[in-house]
Structures are given as C-alpha cells and as structure tokens.
Amino acid sequence: MKAKAKKPSSDLPANPRDTLRSRLRNRKILKRVLGVVLGLDIMLGGLIIYLLFLHVPYFNLQHVDVTGARRLSKDEVVEISEVCSGVNLLTVDLNQIALKLRRHPWIRSASVYRRFPGQMIIEIDERTPRAILASGKLFYADDQGELFTRVLPDDSVDYPLFTGISPEDLKERPAEVQELVRTGFNLLDLIERAASDVDPAEVSEVRLNLDEGLSVLTSYGKLIVFGKEDHETKLFRLGRLKRFLTQRGEWNNAHIINLDFEDRALVRSDKSRVQG
C-alpha cells in the first residue's frame, strides 16, 4: 500500500518578511491615529483658550486712534466705522471696518489695525477738493478729477469753478468729463507756474466742452479759448498777442480771444474783429 501524503500543518511559523510588513503597517496606522488625536486635542485646546480670551477684559476696546483726518473729526470717523467701545478686539473684522470707511465720500482709502491691549488704529486718506463743478448741482472734484460729493450749503466754495458740463454729460460720458477736468487742472497749473499774461487770481471760471476743449473766463469778462491741447504754446502766443493789442490800445476791448488755431488767434471786441 502507498503511504498517504501528509497535509501541511497550519502551525508552521509565518514568513519573517510578512511579519515585518504587518508590523510596519500597524505602526503607520497607530501614528496616524495618534496624529489625529493630537490634532484634535490641539484644536480643542485652542478653542478653549480662544473662548477664554473672549471674556478677558484685557482684549476689550478702550481707545481708538485716528490719523489722517482733516475735514472729518475723530468722532465722525469712529461713528462711520461703527465700532463700539468695549467690544472684544478679537471679534472685530478689520477688513469690514475699512470697507465701511472707504464708502464715505470724503475718505479715499482706509486701513485699520489692532494694538493690544485695547487699542484700535484707524488710518485714513481724505480726499482734497481741487475744484467745484457746476452741472445742475455743485460737486467737489478731487485732484484726480473725480466728482466725489455734493457741495452743501455750509461747505467752502473757495475753489476754481468749472462749468459747461450738462447732467446728461455726467451720466453718459463720465470718463471724458473726468479727463477734461484733469486737463483743466493742468491748464491752471501752467497759468500759475508760467507767470503768464493771465493772472491766476483773475480766473473766474474754466468752461469745459467735451468736443471743443477748454476756455477760461476772467473776472474782467474776457473769454480765452484754449481748445483741447498744446496749452503751453497757446499761453506763449497769448503773451505776444497781448503785447500787440496793448500797443494798438485794443487789449482792454478784447472780450473773446480764440487761440485754438494752429498759426493765428481770433480776437473779438466791442468794435471789431482782429486777427493776430
């Protein structure tokens, strides 16, 4: 009879390599579990500390510093920010406060900071009026030519007056209006710097025309047409024209001087038309 083959015993020792892999896998799993538990502990501890800080008077707002305010008072800036005294600084949204401040027409930009204990710093950059634009209503224009707010009854009107723009122009062509206002500022700067024959103190208003450019009306009723460009050259030509008309005794009678020509000027007076 043939001998029966023996079945392999299940009690044989496992492969050493399989045992090592199993141990390494278990260690990785254990490390991950410990990492998760440790992370949860840290988050929970941080949350507990944060909740404790919310009730510590050390972090309550006690003082607000405001810098950059000229027209607006400190109290007005704080009121615009809607920050309440005693609020916990850790709960304050600084970006939201800065956004509220920038919505005010007189504030160009704003930044807000915390300084512990109990202090908030608000830095603002106010708009500075450069002129007043009359267009149905009166508006302040800043140095960028942007119309930022209405002129109220008690507001100062001691600024150059710009006219000639209709409410329809403001609504339909705002970018062109802003650019022409900036061009008007450049012309006023040229008049002041160049010691030209136009006295800056005698400028009554600057008339704007989106299609034809700029004209200056003096306090003596003289209208000087400059057009859209090359204003420095036209101011030089105005000086020569003034000397020419003064020699002929006609300068004071010249009411309209149109310099918006390439090689000449057109002068209208009570008595005649003069080309120079």
Side-chain angles (χ1 to χ4, degrees):
M1 293 179 65
K2 293 183 180 179
K4 293 182 179 180
K6 293 183 179 180
K7 294 181 180 180
S9 173
S10 59
D11 296 331
L12 292 176
N15 190 322
R17 291 184 180 180
D18 293 339
T19 302
L20 180 60
R21 290 194 188 99
S22 177
R23 289 177 180 177
L24 292 175
R25 184 169 59 252
N26 292 337
R27 287 179 183 177
K28 289 182 180 179
I29 294 174
L30 181 60
K31 286 182 179 180
R32 290 176 182 172
V33 172
L34 290 175
V36 172
V37 172
L38 182 60
L40 291 174
D41 285 343
I42 293 175
M43 292 176 59
L44 182 59
L47 179 60
I48 293 173
I49 294 174
Y50 177 74
L51 292 175
L52 289 174
F53 281 168
L54 292 182
H55 297 86
V56 175
Y58 178 85
F59 296 101
N60 291 349
L61 178 61
Q62 301 172 8
H63 182 69
V64 179
D65 278 339
V66 176
T67 62
R70 299 183 302 276
R71 184 183 188 276
L72 298 172
S73 67
K74 173 185 173 180
D75 290 341
E76 287 175 318
V77 174
V78 173
E79 182 179 357
I80 296 166
S81 70
E82 299 182 357
V83 175
C84 300
S85 177
V87 66
N88 191 295
L89 285 175
L90 296 176
T91 66
V92 173
D93 187 338
L94 301 183
N95 292 330
Q96 189 65 26
I97 294 173
L99 181 61
K100 290 177 183 178
L101 291 166
R102 287 193 291 268
R103 287 173 180 161
H104 192 277
W106 281 91
I107 299 177
R108 185 193 302 276
S109 63
S111 300
V112 186
Y113 309 94
R114 299 182 185 93
R115 179 176 292 172
F116 298 110
Q119 185 179 11
M120 177 181 291
I121 300 172
I122 298 177
E123 297 178 355
I124 66 171
D125 178 22
E126 283 191 4
R127 297 179 187 270
T128 301
R130 176 75 193 272
I132 292 175
L133 177 72
S135 179
K137 301 173 183 177
L138 299 180
F139 300 91
Y140 279 129
D142 64 12
D143 55 357
Q144 299 299 315
E146 184 176 351
L147 308 182
F148 62 93
T149 190
R150 290 261 313 273
V151 180
L152 301 178
D154 294 333
D155 288 339
S156 173
V157 293
D158 190 20
Y159 298 97
L161 178 63
F162 284 35
T163 63
I165 297 297
S166 68
E168 289 74 19
D169 290 334
L170 284 182
K171 182 178 180 180
E172 299 172 5
R173 304 166 70 179
E176 294 178 66
V177 171
Q178 183 176 355
E179 181 61 30
L180 193 57
V181 170
R182 285 200 295 259
T183 303
F185 292 160
N186 293 334
L187 176 58
L188 292 177
D189 291 339
L190 281 173
I191 290 174
E192 187 169 358
R193 290 199 309 264
S196 67
D197 292 277
V198 179
D199 186 347
E202 295 178 359
V203 175
S204 175
E205 64 184 76
V206 178
R207 295 183 177 177
L208 311 178
N209 187 297
L210 292 176
D211 299 317
E212 298 178 4
L214 305 176
S215 301
V216 170
L217 180 66
T218 71
S219 55
Y220 297 105
K222 197 182 301 294
L223 182 66
I224 306 172
V225 180
F226 286 93
K228 283 191 170 183
E229 56 188 16
D230 206 12
H231 296 150
E232 189 170 7
T233 300
K234 291 172 182 176
L235 277 171
F236 176 75
R237 287 166 49 198
L238 177 64
R240 294 171 52 190
L241 179 63
K242 181 178 181 180
R243 290 189 291 272
F244 171 75
L245 294 178
T246 299
Q247 290 175 357
R248 298 180 54 173
E250 297 177 352
W251 173 251
N252 292 333
N253 294 326
H255 291 299
I256 300 176
I257 301 174
N258 193 337
L259 301 169
D260 197 22
F261 297 94
E262 184 176 349
D263 58 353
R264 67 186 65 196
L266 180 65
V267 180
R268 294 181 182 274
S269 64
D270 288 338
K271 298 181 179 179
S272 62
R273 176 188 301 179
V274 179
Q275 289 188 353

